[in-house]
Amino acid sequence: MNCPRCKADNDKVIDTRANGDSVRRRRECLECSKRFTTYEYVERVSLTVAKRDGRREPFQREKLESGIKMACVKRPVSSEKIHEMVSMIENELSHLNQIEVSYTTIGDLVMNELAKLDPVAYVRFASVYKEFREVNDFTIFVRKDD
């Protein structure tokens, strides 16, 4: 670690604390005695999503959360529950140890979690994910899940 004042790479750690998803370290330069703080984060391998149309794009947590929120509009589902669900899905994806994952893998994980959380949000999400075109598609889907 280089000192921000004198650029020396000789320092000592004075204090270390867990800080959510990071580790905060208070350091002191052994050359100029300047104290400074550093943060360490776990580096996540970037995940690529293989889309339905063949495109590839980076996994975006915000996009996943947005889709789930849209399915849960005007439903008794708290933002905290949605946030927890997204974190759980993100963790499951990271445990797959793959650099590319299909949209169906993500969609199926969301469907499984929404089925436990709220049946209306589950059907709303399914209508987009499964590309329902007619009212009959909803009926077939709901009867299949019974």
Side-chain angles (χ1 to χ4, degrees):
M1 184 60 53
N2 293 335
C3 172
R5 179 188 289 162
C6 71
K7 308 297 182 216
D9 66 352
N10 192 10
D11 64 62
K12 69 178 179 180
V13 175
I14 299 169
D15 184 38
T16 300
R17 294 185 187 192
N19 189 21
D21 292 343
S22 65
V23 175
R24 177 184 174 269
R25 296 197 195 279
R26 194 73 181 133
R27 299 175 181 268
E28 181 178 4
C29 177
L30 296 176
E31 301 294 321
C32 70
S33 300
K34 164 95 169 139
R35 290 187 175 194
F36 57 99
T37 303
T38 60
Y39 293 90
E40 296 177 14
Y41 299 91
V42 173
E43 184 177 10
R44 293 188 183 250
V45 175
S46 63
L47 187 64
T48 301
V49 179
K51 305 294 278 184
R52 180 176 289 154
D53 62 5
R55 290 181 298 121
R56 306 287 192 263
E57 67 179 44
F59 173 78
Q60 298 172 36
R61 177 189 171 92
E62 300 78 23
K63 193 170 180 180
L64 175 63
E65 193 166 347
S66 171
I68 294 170
K69 280 181 180 178
M70 287 181 62
C72 295
V73 167
K74 295 186 180 181
R75 299 298 306 154
V77 179
S78 69
S79 295
E80 291 81 27
K81 284 285 185 190
I82 293 171
H83 187 74
E84 288 172 18
M85 182 189 309
V86 171
S87 294
M88 191 276 310
I89 292 168
E90 194 174 29
N91 285 336
E92 283 200 34
L93 292 172
S94 70
H95 284 86
L96 294 175
N97 292 324
Q98 298 175 345
I99 57 171
E100 184 172 285
V101 65
S102 170
Y103 76 96
T104 57
T105 303
I106 297 171
D108 291 345
L109 288 170
V110 173
M111 293 281 288
N112 290 337
E113 292 305 310
L114 280 177
K116 298 176 207 170
L117 191 63
D118 187 86
V120 173
Y122 171 70
V123 173
R124 285 178 178 172
F125 186 85
S127 71
V128 175
Y129 173 55
K130 301 285 187 183
E131 296 183 313
F132 293 169
R133 301 279 181 228
E134 302 174 3
V135 174
N136 194 34
D137 295 338
F138 283 95
T139 308
I140 293 167
F141 179 76
V142 171
R143 283 190 183 142
K144 183 176 74 173
D145 281 359
D146 283 341

